Amino acid sequence: MRILLLDKNHPLITEQLLEKNFILEEDFTSPYDEVCNKIENYDGIIIRSRIPLDQNFLEKGKNLKFIARVGAGMENIDIPVAEKLGIQLINSPEGNRDSVAEHVVGMLLILMNRLFIASNEVKNGIWLREENRGDEILGKTVGLIGYGNMGKATAKRLSGFGCKVIFHDILPDLSDEFATQVSLEELKDQAEVLSLHIPLTDSTNNLVDAEFISAMKNDFYFINTARGKNVETKSLVEALKSGKVKGACLDVLEYEKSSFENLETNNDDLNYLLNSEKAIVTPHIAGWTHQSKEKLAQVIVDKILLTYSN
């Protein structure tokens, strides 16, 4: 099988597939049009997010048997078209679920205990104790939306903090020893901390908007390590200003480029987030540890070999 690698990943992908006699070609720089013109020569693609695999692209890949994304989200692929064409879609959420879960907990602890703020003050000669009182996770109700790999790993980490973890998911009967499944209405009624663990789809685009936020019974902390467009930023900023959202931990932003490599816009709402003590913003790195880079790659290789190894 001939496989085209469109993004740089852990070298184990190349090493292990070559050992199994796959034919590999790397192309990390050609633009969309150039890749389109040659895609019919390949049986498989391994990507992250550099190029959108839309209907035009997929229809030109007449010999494609699979597309493997090193990561969890598949929104850069036209999934209905791929399925119609019989192209197998492979991803690897198992590979970075642990790093995402640790990032969620880390951001939440930093925000609730004002660690960045207090540290920077002390480094600048300011010693404030009362003003930097923290808020404990212990005893709070944490609500997760989405209970797949990321949500379950997050609930497992939170289980040691003495909080109650509830979640909402479109699939039924997912409760386990770490979290209890509830309706979305129950989650809005109970949660004091809200964390998103959902893909970007038509139904989850701008899921957290002004109406959603106002329906939350409690003032709450908000965490998003899913996709930036799951949240209507303007509404989040207004809620931060009003105090309805007590603080926000954002690893993803509505304004990211589709490749996730940078921001594509700048506006007042973004500037507020970047300058507010109520917000922690990181550059889409929740799933981006040294360990997850290797695990993501290994999951992809294992899934390819499971189906296509002779």
Side-chain angles (χ1 to χ4, degrees):
M1 295 186 71
R2 297 175 61 87
I3 300 177
L4 179 62
L5 288 75
L6 288 174
D7 295 275
K8 292 182 180 180
N9 288 294
H10 195 283
L12 73 79
I13 291 180
T14 301
E15 294 166 3
Q16 294 185 22
L17 291 180
L18 286 175
E19 288 177 0
K20 297 296 183 178
N21 298 316
F22 287 83
I23 300 170
L24 307 181
E25 179 181 330
E26 297 176 346
D27 187 343
F28 304 147
T29 58
S30 293
Y32 171 90
D33 289 341
E34 291 183 20
V35 179
C36 272
N37 290 335
K38 65 179 182 179
I39 194 58
E40 65 179 351
N41 300 319
Y42 300 94
D43 301 291
I45 304 173
I46 299 177
I47 62 164
R48 286 206 315 262
S49 305
R50 187 172 72 85
I51 288 179
L53 307 189
D54 56 15
Q55 180 173 350
N56 172 64
F57 184 101
L58 296 173
E59 289 178 345
K60 290 187 176 181
K62 298 178 181 179
N63 296 306
L64 283 177
K65 297 177 177 63
F66 73 85
I67 298 168
R69 180 168 189 266
V70 185
M74 306 284 275
E75 67 270 14
N76 61 321
I77 304 169
D78 192 324
I79 294 175
V81 171
E83 292 175 342
K84 181 179 179 181
L85 294 173
I87 301 170
Q88 181 187 10
L89 299 179
I90 301 169
N91 64 345
S92 53
E94 305 92 337
N96 62 353
R97 60 190 174 193
D98 296 315
S99 60
V100 169
E102 291 189 13
H103 197 91
V104 168
V105 175
M107 286 200 299
L108 188 59
L109 289 171
I110 288 168
L111 180 72
M112 293 176 66
N113 291 282
R114 299 176 57 86
L115 298 183
F116 277 156
I117 298 167
S119 177
N120 286 332
E121 287 176 351
V122 173
K123 289 179 179 181
N124 286 283
I126 302 170
W127 188 274
L128 298 175
R129 299 185 66 219
E130 184 60 35
E131 293 83 350
N132 284 308
R133 278 192 186 272
D135 196 6
E136 297 180 4
I137 299 176
L138 177 69
K140 287 187 171 55
T141 298
V142 179
L144 312 177
I145 299 184
Y147 206 62
N149 283 280
M150 311 304 175
K152 290 178 182 178
T154 300
K156 184 177 181 179
R157 300 309 189 283
L158 288 169
S159 66
F161 282 85
C163 58
K164 176 183 178 183
V165 183
I166 58 176
F167 70 90
H168 174 71
D169 195 282
I170 59 174
L171 299 178
D173 303 321
L174 298 179
S175 294
D176 57 23
E177 66 268 38
F178 304 117
T180 301
Q181 189 162 8
V182 298
S183 68
L184 187 57
E185 289 70 26
E186 290 175 293
L187 185 143
K188 291 177 180 177
D189 188 60
Q190 298 178 37
E192 299 164 277
V193 179
L194 175 66
S195 184
L196 301 186
H197 302 277
I198 50 179
L200 181 62
T201 65
D202 290 341
S203 61
T204 65
N205 185 56
N206 280 344
L207 173 68
V208 178
D209 58 10
E211 181 179 359
F212 185 104
I213 293 170
S214 66
M216 295 286 289
K217 179 179 179 181
N218 302 306
D219 296 346
F220 64 100
Y221 295 98
F222 178 68
I223 310 157
N224 189 13
T225 54
R227 288 292 184 262
K229 288 183 171 61
N230 293 140
V231 180
E232 188 178 74
T233 307
K234 180 177 180 62
S235 296
L236 175 62
V237 168
E238 291 173 354
L240 284 166
K241 290 178 179 178
S242 72
K244 179 66 178 180
V245 174
K246 299 165 74 173
C249 303
L250 305 172
D251 182 57
V252 290
L253 292 166
E254 181 181 0
Y255 314 115
E256 288 180 77
K257 292 182 178 180
S258 59
S259 63
F260 308 136
E261 293 300 319
N262 212 321
L263 299 176
E264 60 183 4
T265 189
N266 191 12
N267 57 40
D268 291 341
D269 293 326
L270 176 60
N271 285 332
Y272 175 86
L273 293 174
L274 298 181
N275 291 284
S276 174
E277 290 187 347
K278 291 185 175 183
I280 293 176
V281 184
T282 52
H284 205 133
I285 57 169
W288 213 248
T289 60
H290 297 291
Q291 292 80 9
S292 71
K293 182 177 182 180
E294 181 173 353
K295 287 189 284 187
L296 284 165
Q298 190 63 63
V299 169
I300 286 294
V301 170
D302 291 345
K303 289 183 177 180
I304 291 173
L305 294 181
L306 182 65
T307 304
Y308 299 103
S309 179
N310 294 325

